[in-house]
PDB file of all heavy atoms in Angstrom:
ATOM      1  N   VAL A  93     232.286 167.214 -63.413  1.00 96.00           N
ATOM      2  CA  VAL A  93     231.018 167.566 -63.976  1.00 96.00           C
ATOM      3  C   VAL A  93     231.158 167.609 -65.530  1.00 96.00           C
ATOM      4  O   VAL A  93     232.251 167.788 -66.001  1.00 96.00           O
ATOM      5  CB  VAL A  93     230.430 168.885 -63.504  1.00 96.00           C
ATOM      6  CG1 VAL A  93     229.966 168.786 -62.096  1.00 96.00           C
ATOM      7  CG2 VAL A  93     231.392 170.041 -63.744  1.00 96.00           C
ATOM      8  N   SER A 101     231.833 177.960 -67.350  1.00 95.00           N
ATOM      9  CA  SER A 101     231.316 179.149 -66.708  1.00 95.00           C
ATOM     10  C   SER A 101     231.673 179.076 -65.241  1.00 95.00           C
ATOM     11  O   SER A 101     232.058 178.012 -64.665  1.00 95.00           O
ATOM     12  CB  SER A 101     229.831 179.256 -66.880  1.00 95.00           C
ATOM     13  OG  SER A 101     229.217 178.223 -66.183  1.00 95.00           O
ATOM     14  N   LYS A 102     231.371 180.153 -64.478  1.00 94.00           N
ATOM     15  CA  LYS A 102     231.601 180.182 -63.061  1.00 94.00           C
ATOM     16  C   LYS A 102     230.681 179.143 -62.372  1.00 94.00           C
ATOM     17  O   LYS A 102     231.032 178.530 -61.416  1.00 94.00           O
ATOM     18  CB  LYS A 102     231.283 181.684 -62.639  1.00 94.00           C
ATOM     19  CG  LYS A 102     231.240 181.858 -61.141  1.00 94.00           C
ATOM     20  CD  LYS A 102     232.646 182.183 -60.554  1.00 94.00           C
ATOM     21  CE  LYS A 102     232.669 182.438 -59.071  1.00 94.00           C
ATOM     22  NZ  LYS A 102     232.076 181.459 -58.207  1.00 94.00           N
ATOM     23  N   ASP A 103     229.497 179.014 -62.952  1.00 95.00           N
ATOM     24  CA  ASP A 103     228.503 178.015 -62.406  1.00 95.00           C
ATOM     25  C   ASP A 103     229.112 176.560 -62.482  1.00 95.00           C
ATOM     26  O   ASP A 103     228.908 175.744 -61.550  1.00 95.00           O
ATOM     27  CB  ASP A 103     227.252 178.081 -63.186  1.00 95.00           C
ATOM     28  CG  ASP A 103     226.252 178.998 -62.636  1.00 95.00           C
ATOM     29  OD1 ASP A 103     226.658 179.626 -61.648  1.00 95.00           O
ATOM     30  OD2 ASP A 103     225.131 179.220 -63.170  1.00 95.00           O
ATOM     31  N   ASP A 104     229.742 176.282 -63.661  1.00 95.00           N
ATOM     32  CA  ASP A 104     230.380 174.942 -63.849  1.00 95.00           C
ATOM     33  C   ASP A 104     231.466 174.760 -62.737  1.00 95.00           C
ATOM     34  O   ASP A 104     231.515 173.647 -62.133  1.00 95.00           O
ATOM     35  CB  ASP A 104     230.996 174.795 -65.186  1.00 95.00           C
ATOM     36  CG  ASP A 104     229.972 174.892 -66.324  1.00 95.00           C
ATOM     37  OD1 ASP A 104     228.869 174.367 -66.135  1.00 95.00           O
ATOM     38  OD2 ASP A 104     230.319 175.479 -67.401  1.00 95.00           O
ATOM     39  N   VAL A 105     232.240 175.724 -62.486  1.00 95.00           N
ATOM     40  CA  VAL A 105     233.254 175.638 -61.439  1.00 95.00           C
ATOM     41  C   VAL A 105     232.651 175.326 -60.088  1.00 95.00           C
ATOM     42  O   VAL A 105     233.073 174.422 -59.284  1.00 95.00           O
ATOM     43  CB  VAL A 105     234.084 176.934 -61.428  1.00 95.00           C
ATOM     44  CG1 VAL A 105     235.170 176.803 -60.257  1.00 95.00           C
ATOM     45  CG2 VAL A 105     234.950 177.090 -62.731  1.00 95.00           C
ATOM     46  N   ASP A 106     231.591 176.128 -59.783  1.00 94.00           N
ATOM     47  CA  ASP A 106     230.856 175.822 -58.516  1.00 94.00           C
ATOM     48  C   ASP A 106     230.356 174.444 -58.418  1.00 94.00           C
ATOM     49  O   ASP A 106     230.347 173.831 -57.379  1.00 94.00           O
ATOM     50  CB  ASP A 106     229.641 176.923 -58.398  1.00 94.00           C
ATOM     51  CG  ASP A 106     230.299 178.365 -58.104  1.00 94.00           C
ATOM     52  OD1 ASP A 106     231.466 178.445 -57.744  1.00 94.00           O
ATOM     53  OD2 ASP A 106     229.486 179.247 -58.224  1.00 94.00           O
ATOM     54  N   ARG A 107     229.824 174.010 -59.546  1.00 95.00           N
ATOM     55  CA  ARG A 107     229.209 172.640 -59.572  1.00 95.00           C
ATOM     56  C   ARG A 107     230.403 171.576 -59.269  1.00 95.00           C
ATOM     57  O   ARG A 107     230.121 170.647 -58.528  1.00 95.00           O
ATOM     58  CB  ARG A 107     228.543 172.291 -60.885  1.00 95.00           C
ATOM     59  CG  ARG A 107     227.123 172.889 -61.034  1.00 95.00           C
ATOM     60  CD  ARG A 107     226.368 172.347 -62.195  1.00 95.00           C
ATOM     61  NE  ARG A 107     227.127 172.504 -63.459  1.00 95.00           N
ATOM     62  CZ  ARG A 107     227.262 171.420 -64.236  1.00 95.00           C
ATOM     63  NH1 ARG A 107     226.849 170.276 -63.968  1.00 95.00           N
ATOM     64  NH2 ARG A 107     227.974 171.647 -65.462  1.00 95.00           N
ATOM     65  N   ALA A 108     231.434 171.765 -59.970  1.00 96.00           N
ATOM     66  CA  ALA A 108     232.656 170.811 -59.812  1.00 96.00           C
ATOM     67  C   ALA A 108     233.094 170.825 -58.323  1.00 96.00           C
ATOM     68  O   ALA A 108     233.387 169.758 -57.722  1.00 96.00           O
ATOM     69  CB  ALA A 108     233.768 171.214 -60.666  1.00 96.00           C
ATOM     70  N   LEU A 109     233.090 172.056 -57.687  1.00 94.00           N
ATOM     71  CA  LEU A 109     233.546 172.168 -56.324  1.00 94.00           C
ATOM     72  C   LEU A 109     232.489 171.475 -55.408  1.00 94.00           C
ATOM     73  O   LEU A 109     232.862 170.842 -54.454  1.00 94.00           O
ATOM     74  CB  LEU A 109     233.756 173.659 -55.891  1.00 94.00           C
ATOM     75  CG  LEU A 109     234.906 174.344 -56.615  1.00 94.00           C
ATOM     76  CD1 LEU A 109     234.913 175.879 -56.139  1.00 94.00           C
ATOM     77  CD2 LEU A 109     236.226 173.767 -56.074  1.00 94.00           C
ATOM     78  N   GLU A 110     231.202 171.719 -55.736  1.00 93.00           N
ATOM     79  CA  GLU A 110     230.113 171.049 -54.978  1.00 93.00           C
ATOM     80  C   GLU A 110     230.293 169.491 -54.983  1.00 93.00           C
ATOM     81  O   GLU A 110     230.221 168.840 -53.981  1.00 93.00           O
ATOM     82  CB  GLU A 110     228.732 171.398 -55.488  1.00 93.00           C
ATOM     83  CG  GLU A 110     228.184 172.694 -54.975  1.00 93.00           C
ATOM     84  CD  GLU A 110     228.102 172.745 -53.485  1.00 93.00           C
ATOM     85  OE1 GLU A 110     227.664 171.781 -52.839  1.00 93.00           O
ATOM     86  OE2 GLU A 110     228.602 173.751 -52.897  1.00 93.00           O
ATOM     87  N   ALA A 111     230.619 169.017 -56.233  1.00 95.00           N
ATOM     88  CA  ALA A 111     230.789 167.560 -56.434  1.00 95.00           C
ATOM     89  C   ALA A 111     231.986 167.065 -55.564  1.00 95.00           C
ATOM     90  O   ALA A 111     231.955 166.035 -54.977  1.00 95.00           O
ATOM     91  CB  ALA A 111     231.037 167.251 -57.814  1.00 95.00           C
ATOM     92  N   ALA A 112     233.093 167.846 -55.448  1.00 95.00           N
ATOM     93  CA  ALA A 112     234.224 167.516 -54.732  1.00 95.00           C
ATOM     94  C   ALA A 112     233.914 167.505 -53.259  1.00 95.00           C
ATOM     95  O   ALA A 112     234.550 166.739 -52.463  1.00 95.00           O
ATOM     96  CB  ALA A 112     235.434 168.490 -55.000  1.00 95.00           C
ATOM     97  N   TYR A 131     242.382 172.483 -61.426  1.00 96.00           N
ATOM     98  CA  TYR A 131     241.295 171.946 -62.293  1.00 96.00           C
ATOM     99  C   TYR A 131     241.868 171.151 -63.459  1.00 96.00           C
ATOM    100  O   TYR A 131     242.964 171.361 -63.854  1.00 96.00           O
ATOM    101  CB  TYR A 131     240.481 173.172 -62.805  1.00 96.00           C
ATOM    102  CG  TYR A 131     239.735 173.868 -61.653  1.00 96.00           C
ATOM    103  CD1 TYR A 131     240.419 175.069 -61.111  1.00 96.00           C
ATOM    104  CD2 TYR A 131     238.500 173.447 -61.173  1.00 96.00           C
ATOM    105  CE1 TYR A 131     239.765 175.686 -60.109  1.00 96.00           C
ATOM    106  CE2 TYR A 131     237.952 174.159 -60.062  1.00 96.00           C
ATOM    107  CZ  TYR A 131     238.551 175.326 -59.573  1.00 96.00           C
ATOM    108  OH  TYR A 131     238.016 175.937 -58.565  1.00 96.00           O
ATOM    109  N   LEU A 150     234.941 168.608 -66.721  1.00 97.00           N
ATOM    110  CA  LEU A 150     235.709 169.526 -65.837  1.00 97.00           C
ATOM    111  C   LEU A 150     235.876 168.761 -64.449  1.00 97.00           C
ATOM    112  O   LEU A 150     234.878 168.357 -63.885  1.00 97.00           O
ATOM    113  CB  LEU A 150     234.979 170.857 -65.617  1.00 97.00           C
ATOM    114  CG  LEU A 150     235.541 171.755 -64.523  1.00 97.00           C
ATOM    115  CD1 LEU A 150     236.864 172.374 -64.948  1.00 97.00           C
ATOM    116  CD2 LEU A 150     234.595 172.902 -64.181  1.00 97.00           C
TER     117      LEU A 150
END
Side-chain angles (χ1 to χ4, degrees):
V93 290
S101 66
K102 172 84 179 55
D103 271 0
D104 295 324
V105 175
D106 289 345
R107 280 194 305 128
L109 290 176
E110 275 304 312
Y131 296 93
L150 171 71

